[in-house]
Amino acid sequence: MKALVLAGGSGTRLRPITHTSSKQLVPVANKPILFYGLEAIAEAGIIEVGVIVGHTAKEIEQAVGDGSDFGLEVTYIPQSAPLGLAHAVLIARDFLGDDDFVMYLGDNFVFDGISDVVDQFRKERPDAQLLLTRVPNPTAFGVAVVDEQGRITGLEEKPERPSSDLAVAGVYLFTPAIHEAVRAIAPSRRGELEITDAIQRMVDQRLDVRSTVISGYWKDTGNVTDLLEVNRTLLEGLETRIEGFVDGESEIIGRVRIAAGAEVRGSRIVGPVIIGAGSIVVDSYIGPSTSLAENCRIRNSEIEFSIVLRDSSFDSIRRVEASLVGRNVRVTLAPRVPATHRLIIGDHGQVQISS
């Protein structure tokens, strides 16, 4: 069995971060979101992985390499434009051959991994099997309708009037039967070859298309809110490990990980918090659910429930929360501007000015 990981796409919902970086490489708990998916694939016993890459191919390839760090053998498959998930299957045909495979969206996070569903698929081998999860906003997802046995009877991509609250959770398992289906469909109104259309064709042909509803935690990390939520969830499981330097004037509360080479001086750190190697925190407060990546500089500032990417700095800033800050960013206090009031007031007017 092989894996097909989608790591292309433009990441429009994460701009401006994705103007200069791949959305799949944005870190949560100081590790790129893509790495969690690759680790889940390796834990499921799959070795051969094809990675679909787009305009950020160079960055993805530099981060993942040949896959050996994950126990994988990675092949990169270029996609000229994000033309749909079914298009990704089409262009990966030579790599996939006649093997069964799992397709995994590189910006999705499945907390419990995929080992159980892969084992079930290998044992029972339906024509297709999809991971589903219940969501409050199904119009934003591919939506499935299932029968009492969990077999899929219908699929729609981002429907205006959803028939259920079961969203496709970004993990698909296929036999080679999917290849005929992706060749047979036409582009949708969005101009893409939708994998939901291909799977619907399999359903219409009465193939065995099953579902597994995720009971654990899942997120599509395509926007800032969900990225911060995944970061918070991962940090909740953090174990305290202080490998860097903490002076006697600092206070460390709760689950805090400070990497080797990091320094904390005169500061209060309230976990769960992770501070990357080479980062320096001075006279500051770092609050719960915050990740500081490598080589950050935080001085006389307050940061909480945020992700700060590498080489960024805050100087004399009160107070930052629920934020995603990119690489090599400088946040400083603006110079104080003299307050001025310009008034044109008619006869007998009354004006109150607070300062």
Short mmCIF file of all heavy atoms in Angstrom, two decimals, residues 38 209 263:
data_model
loop_
_atom_site.label_atom_id
_atom_site.label_comp_id
_atom_site.label_asym_id
_atom_site.label_seq_id
_atom_site.Cartn_x
_atom_site.Cartn_y
_atom_site.Cartn_z
N LEU A 38 2.86 12.94 7.78
CA LEU A 38 3.87 11.97 7.36
C LEU A 38 4.17 10.97 8.47
O LEU A 38 4.35 9.77 8.21
CB LEU A 38 5.15 12.71 6.95
CG LEU A 38 5.03 13.59 5.69
CD1 LEU A 38 6.33 14.36 5.47
CD2 LEU A 38 4.69 12.76 4.46
N VAL A 209 -18.29 1.55 -1.27
CA VAL A 209 -17.68 2.78 -0.76
C VAL A 209 -18.13 2.96 0.69
O VAL A 209 -19.31 3.20 0.96
CB VAL A 209 -18.08 4.00 -1.61
CG1 VAL A 209 -17.42 5.26 -1.06
CG2 VAL A 209 -17.69 3.79 -3.07
N GLU A 263 16.90 31.02 26.15
CA GLU A 263 17.15 31.69 27.42
C GLU A 263 15.89 32.41 27.88
O GLU A 263 15.18 33.03 27.06
CB GLU A 263 18.28 32.72 27.29
CG GLU A 263 19.63 32.12 26.92
CD GLU A 263 20.71 33.18 26.83
OE1 GLU A 263 20.49 34.30 27.37
OE2 GLU A 263 21.76 32.91 26.23
#
